[in-house]
Amino acid sequence: MSEDPSLTYTSYLALNEILGAQRPRSAEHDEMLFIVIHQVYELWFKQLLHELAFLQRCLADGDTAHAIRTLRRILTVLKVVVAQIDVLETMTPGQFTSFRARLDAASGFQSAQFRELEAVLGRRSFAHFPADPQARARIEAAMSRPSLFDSFLTYLAGEGYDIAGDRRQLLLRVYRDDAGPAVVAEHLVDLDEGIQEWRYRHVKMVERTIGDKSGTGGSSGAGYLRETLFRPVFAELWAVRADL
Ligand code: HEM
Ligand SMILES: N[C@@H](CC(=O)c1ccccc1NC=O)C(=O)O
């Protein structure tokens, strides 16, 4: 294989596309930050989906070491995306208000990748779905595949556990054995906590930036978002904590 002399930093990273994709709709200074932050989010969502698909393959293959390594990477990315909220919180309510009307009805509700992430993690609801047919098809496909918790159970079966009986007893046994599967389970709890952390930080950002205004996506705003805080992804893993 010979080198491609035309390959450069710029062409390899498709920077002309990426750096040409910030198109503010107003002349307000802060709109650039708003766009860039969301684009960075969507790139990390893409990476998370890529890693989650790999994680599900690792679990299907019974590859504990790779599953744990992949989970660690996912958790590290999640920490970065939660920390990013700090940057957006440097924007004052007045600065956001200066261009908010130009967002029209666009809203985080329409993030197809966020809904796909939720679908991989087990969401099976069609509420607040993006309208784009291609996006819907991707999310529906994710909802028709096994969830991450389904993959975890299949993995446990491969590790010799009986997954047909009482779920609670099964998880307690996994934790008692204190082996690879228990480490995987603990990382799934970390993942759940990380997502709840993102939701909490997002709500606080919304409360401080728009108060109790309703959302551009048509919801009540912070009130709607607060209700999403109490929905753990892996409820069964939380339900056994008291007995561990
Ligand atoms: C000033 C910053 C932000 C404000 C004021 C804000 C506000 C809101 C509001 C009010 C909603 C509820 C839906 C609606 O009616 O519009 C929402 C949903 C959402 N936002 Fe944001 N948001 C901000 C930044 C972000 C960022 C940086 C992301 C990262 C991708 C994001 C992702 C989402 C997602 C995924 C939802 C849907 C959540 C769900 O249904 O569980 N938002 N946002
Ligand atoms: N829903 C927000 C607007 C908003 O934050 C937004 C608008 C367009 C694209 C992404 C957004 N971010 C998250 O909801 C609002 O009601 O102000």
Side-chain angles (χ1 to χ4, degrees):
M1 280 285 280
S2 64
E3 289 178 3
D4 175 359
S6 69
L7 187 72
T8 64
Y9 179 86
T10 306
S11 71
Y12 177 63
L13 299 174
L15 291 185
N16 291 337
E17 285 96 315
I18 288 187
L19 299 178
Q22 292 68 44
R23 294 186 286 272
R25 288 163 56 80
S26 74
E28 299 296 336
H29 173 81
D30 294 89
E31 193 182 353
M32 182 63 88
L33 174 68
F34 191 78
I35 293 173
V36 168
I37 283 268
H38 282 87
Q39 289 180 335
V40 171
Y41 263 107
E42 290 292 336
L43 286 173
W44 280 128
F45 289 164
K46 182 169 185 168
Q47 187 64 29
L48 285 172
L49 286 165
H50 187 61
E51 298 294 348
L52 283 165
F54 187 69
L55 171 60
Q56 289 191 291
R57 285 201 296 277
C58 292
L59 292 173
D61 296 344
D63 187 344
T64 304
H66 275 97
I68 291 172
R69 247 188 280 166
T70 306
L71 270 162
R72 275 204 212 108
R73 181 177 292 175
I74 290 169
L75 293 169
T76 310
V77 171
L78 202 51
K79 286 230 177 298
V80 169
V81 307
V82 172
Q84 252 177 225
I85 290 186
D86 290 347
V87 184
L88 202 48
E89 281 184 345
T90 64
M91 187 176 68
T92 66
Q95 288 169 337
F96 184 49
T97 305
S98 73
F99 64 88
R100 184 177 187 234
R102 304 304 302 272
L103 302 175
D104 294 328
S107 153
F109 270 167
Q110 297 161 328
S111 171
Q113 291 199 110
F114 186 81
R115 287 286 178 255
E116 192 178 339
L117 275 172
E118 290 185 309
V120 172
L121 297 176
R123 179 183 161 109
R124 294 295 181 266
S125 151
F126 291 89
H128 306 300
F129 233 48
D132 176 62
Q134 231 178 316
R136 294 174 79 97
R138 281 186 64 98
I139 302 162
E140 280 168 27
M143 293 205 289
S144 70
R145 290 192 299 268
S147 71
L148 183 52
F149 199 70
D150 294 334
S151 299
F152 177 61
L153 291 174
T154 309
Y155 159 76
L156 291 180
E159 294 295 298
Y161 290 94
D162 172 17
I163 61 167
D166 183 68
R167 238 359 129 56
R168 197 181 165 76
Q169 291 308 319
L170 161 68
L171 295 174
L172 290 175
R173 238 177 297 128
V174 166
Y175 275 110
R176 217 170 296 128
D177 292 345
D178 200 21
V183 179
V184 173
E186 221 39 11
H187 279 332
L188 291 178
V189 174
D190 290 332
L191 175 57
D192 196 331
E193 201 171 320
I195 288 165
Q196 292 185 53
E197 216 176 315
W198 182 83
R199 289 194 191 277
Y200 177 80
R201 291 294 313 273
H202 178 258
V203 175
K204 290 294 147 189
M205 172 173 62
V206 172
E207 286 174 347
R208 69 185 282 165
T209 311
I210 61 169
D212 60 2
K213 284 183 196 166
S214 54
T216 51
S219 81
S220 61
Y224 159 80
L225 293 168
R226 275 193 295 267
E227 279 166 28
T228 68
L229 290 179
F230 310 108
R231 285 183 220 147
V233 180
F234 307 118
E236 291 177 83
L237 290 176
W238 292 98
V240 298
R241 306 307 295 180
D243 297 322
L244 296 184

